[in-house]
Amino acid sequence: MMHGPVVAQSMTNGETIMASAEIVAPPERVFHALITDEVERWWGSCESYRMVDWTADLRVGGRWQVIARTIAGEDHPAGGEFLEIQSPRRIVQTRAYGWDHPTLGRRQMTVAYLLEPIAGGTRITICHGGFAGLTDAAAEHAEDWGRVLGWLQAYVETGEPAA
């Protein structure tokens, strides 16, 4: 049983990122927040960026796209393809930036979301791979996944974006 908020955790070995959090909501609720345009309501903050223009063809082989709009108003597109969708337990997708990211460029990566029911809610674990040789990019993205899971947790548990 969960007692109070569990802080999101994220780590990398320089090749792959593992991040996790426990969210006081059922897997179906967390799954929906991850794969629909609801992403635009919670992914980001007024100090960093916001996700806008989310679109997805929710099927294996379907494409997804989103734009990360920075606080300076710059648009940074990203997208990929769904490799696996097992509602409400697992999403595996490719991911690549549609712009020249400073540490990653346009390298295609794979992100897996695993949602496990636990007493009082859901444990979400993210495995983000494909950083081979780009340890600075892995470290940067590990830090970001910790923030993203915090935003997701705050939104799903309260209905409001993180402050």
Side-chain angles (χ1 to χ4, degrees):
M1 176 178 244
M2 297 188 303
H3 300 285
V6 175
V7 176
Q9 299 177 352
S10 183
M11 64 183 167
T12 182
N13 63 3
E15 304 285 325
T16 302
I17 296 166
M18 295 294 288
S20 67
E22 293 180 356
I23 299 175
V24 183
E28 295 80 7
R29 175 70 188 102
V30 177
F31 190 87
H32 187 267
L34 288 169
I35 64 165
T36 68
D37 63 0
E38 197 170 355
V39 161
E40 295 179 27
R41 289 183 228 145
W42 65 266
W43 196 312
S45 73
C46 60
E47 294 90 30
S48 59
Y49 61 90
R50 281 289 209 208
M51 294 298 190
V52 298
D53 295 329
W54 167 264
T55 60
D57 179 4
L58 297 173
R59 62 180 177 83
V60 172
R63 306 280 311 161
W64 67 273
Q65 294 179 306
V66 72
I67 294 174
R69 183 162 292 146
T70 69
I71 58 173
E74 298 171 350
D75 285 349
H76 295 161
E81 177 181 334
F82 291 106
L83 303 176
E84 190 176 332
I85 300 175
Q86 294 178 10
S87 178
R89 301 290 173 89
R90 184 172 164 87
I91 306 161
V92 181
Q93 63 193 60
T94 62
R95 175 180 173 188
Y97 294 109
W99 59 289
D100 292 321
H101 186 280
T103 59
L104 249 161
R106 296 175 184 241
R107 178 181 287 211
Q108 182 172 291
M109 320 283 289
T110 302
V111 179
Y113 300 86
L114 308 172
L115 288 77
E116 175 187 8
I118 58 174
T122 303
R123 178 177 298 114
I124 181 171
T125 303
I126 296 169
C127 180
H128 184 169
F131 290 93
L134 300 176
T135 56
D136 289 345
E140 172 192 342
H141 283 74
E143 187 177 316
D144 200 34
W145 276 119
R147 278 191 299 274
V148 169
L149 286 176
W151 296 332
L152 175 63
Q153 181 181 42
Y155 176 75
V156 170
E157 291 180 2
T158 69
E160 298 291 327

